[in-house]
Amino acid sequence: MHKVVIPIGPQHPALKEPESFSVTLSGEKIMKFSARLGYNHRGIEKACEERTYIQDVYLTERICGICSHSHSTCFVQAVEEIGAIAVPKRALYIRTLVGELERVHSHLLWLGVAGHEVGFDTLLMYTWRDREIVMDILAMLTGNRVNYGINTIGGVRRDMSPEQGKDILKAMDTLEERTKYYIQVATQETTLIQRLSGVGLLSHDDALKLGAVGPTARASGVDRDVRRDDPYAAYADMKFKVITDNHNDVYGRTLVRMGELMEAYSIIRQTVKNMPDGPLTVKAPRKIPAGEAVSRYEAPRGEDMHYVKANGTEKPERVKVRAPTLANIQTVAKMLENRQLADLPIVIAAIDPCFSCTDRLTGIRQVGKRKRNVLKWEELHEYSIKFYQEHGVDFTNLNNKLTKLLK
Amino acid sequence: MTEEEKIQQELIKKFAILDGKIRMQRSRRMYVEVSPKDFEGVFEYAVKSLGFVMLCSITGLDEGATLGFLYHIAREDGIMLNIKVSADKNNPTINTITGYFPGADIYEREVMDLLGAKVKGLSAGNRYPLSDDWPAGEYPLRKDWKKQGGV
């Protein structure tokens, strides 16, 4: 049969982020798949070299909007190792708590996206509604829904009050009940099982060979988790199971993530109940002595790795970030070999890709002009109103009505 | 004896030149620097005989006259070995490790784009992460690289 090459991306309705895939088809069967990444490259590694360690904490936090805490924790851990800074135990517990809350919001988000990609939008509506519970908890605890700003070199910036602890435990009960329901749906709803089973197969050997990480690897029977194998923060004190599965497909990846949600609730309860007393932070020097360190962190998508080299000044000599998606994207070609084109969206979604993390690049450039253009919040607001008005949508009357009602 | 010390002994037994060169920064973190001619042997031995079955990443470093390449490999029990090899900045050539880890492909393309490394044996493919119209010979992670207007 005649072969057809279809470009998907960098801008494509089926994609949530810019990335470019080239798919060679014979009929509807995928013969070859190749990815071109880099559309999100913001030069964060270089930018880190030009900023101080404390500025870099906030910069690395912005590598990704979903696993922001993963990146900032991974970075501060490396700096603390070089500077031999002993972080107080209470701070380690709070880092663990926020890390697991982040995993809960990320996995619930994924479940919704997976539902959407297979045409099960009810699941998207349900999971994203329930995800708001954990987003509210994160906002209560840190002041933000994303980019929590909880980490600093030498500890954390905010404490957890006993009342907040109670609210967290209550929220975990609700979320656990909801997750049990989703597990029931995933293990009993035949349309979902049949749509996901056998799709995006990745054998145990291929997962190892291609260096898969996180739930993608664990659903192919790879028993690896940095939280257990190379414990950081307070994970050495926590009791939890590493969830693995042998389905080797998207269905397995769904089960692993749901199992991890249940484990995350357990870890969150342990951190809240056993939260040690003590200070939140120790004073860290502005200048970090020369040295190097590698820090590993089990992000929701898999192992995140930061390498930091210090040269004795207040700015790092080198910061290297390896986000989990970069390790996992290489398995996608294998998963799609000889599969139907229709499986492509869910197979890509099943590694829970995050191309912002992978590419790590900020600044808006006006096309054709070599000028940076940064919009202020008010300008962005005005722009959006104007954009919609130009496209025939005007919310002015509705807004006035709402303002009156609120008064 | 800890696992890290066992690995250290095995490495020194096989490669006498490594005696005194293996640095243990903390539990589960080992660092070693090897010369380009010894690299392949040490790397292969670590991967095939010492259980370092995971490639975490490759970090490229600009060290003035040389470029450093740090291979982060890990075992299933969490021990990580960081093997460093350096190459002359005027001709920074390294050999591909895709024969051991097919997934190394993207990490090698990254050091090619950002630091100007030449990777011998790497098959043709898409560049990563810079754009296709990025000027040739501009390597942003080199210390002497200067930002240009708009970039």
Side-chain angles (χ1 to χ4, degrees), chain A residues 110-111 114-115 117-118 186 192-193 195-202 215-216 219-220 245 247-258 335-336 343-351:
Chain A
W110 178 83
L111 196 56
E117 297 290 7
V118 297
L192 188 69
I193 298 171
R195 181 65 189 90
L196 303 180
S197 294
V199 174
L201 279 170
L202 181 73
T216 306
S220 293
D245 189 89
H247 279 88
N248 301 352
D249 54 11
V250 178
Y251 183 55
R253 277 158 229 152
T254 313
L255 296 181
V256 165
R257 289 196 177 92
M258 287 204 268
M335 291 176 190
L336 286 171
D343 287 345
L344 185 129
I346 183 63
V347 168
I348 295 176
I351 67 161

Side-chain angles (χ1 to χ4, degrees), chain A residues 16 46 48 105 128 146 159 179 188 196 201 207 269 274 285 311 333 339-340 353 376:
Chain A
K16 311 284 179 282
K46 183 79 177 172
C48 279
H105 103 68
W128 282 35
V146 289
D159 202 359
T179 307
Q188 292 176 13
L196 303 180
L201 279 170
R269 288 194 183 106
N274 306 329
N311 53 10
R339 304 299 310 187
Q340 299 286 314
K376 285 190 188 135

Side-chain angles (χ1 to χ4, degrees), chain A residues 104-105 108-109 125-140 145 171 175:
Chain A
V104 171
H105 103 68
L108 284 174
L109 177 123
M125 303 298 173
Y126 269 35
T127 48
W128 282 35
R129 180 196 66 187
D130 295 339
R131 179 173 167 266
E132 284 305 304
I133 300 173
V134 68
M135 297 312 278
D136 287 347
I137 291 287
L138 280 164
M140 172 190 79
R145 283 165 65 90
L175 283 170

Side-chain angles (χ1 to χ4, degrees), chain B residues 24 44 107 109-110 114 132:
Chain B
M24 310 248 226
E44 184 173 356
Y107 308 133
R109 292 190 198 284
E110 195 175 357
L114 298 179
D132 290 333

Side-chain angles (χ1 to χ4, degrees), chain A residues 38 58 86 94 103 161 167 178 180 201 205 266 291:
Chain A
Y58 299 95
I94 292 176
R103 191 178 319 277
S161 71
D167 286 347
R178 297 300 302 161
K180 277 185 186 156
L201 279 170
D205 286 352
S266 152

Side-chain angles (χ1 to χ4, degrees), chain B residues 112-127:
Chain B
M112 283 165 73
D113 255 20
L114 298 179
L115 281 145
K118 292 173 193 158
V119 183
K120 227 175 12 190
L122 185 63
S123 57
N126 288 330
R127 67 184 299 176

Side-chain angles (χ1 to χ4, degrees), chain B residues 73-86:
Chain B
I73 49 176
R75 300 206 320 176
E76 304 226 19
D77 59 4
I79 299 176
M80 182 185 245
L81 177 66
N82 303 286
I83 307 180
K84 194 172 135 186
V85 63
S86 298

Side-chain angles (χ1 to χ4, degrees), chain A residues 20 25 81 99 107 113 118 186 217 227 249 281 285 317 355 357 401:
Chain A
S20 170
L25 292 176
E81 185 182 325
H107 280 3
V113 171
V118 297
R227 292 176 291 172
D249 54 11
T281 175
E317 169 88 12
F355 295 99
C357 286
K401 226 178 183 176

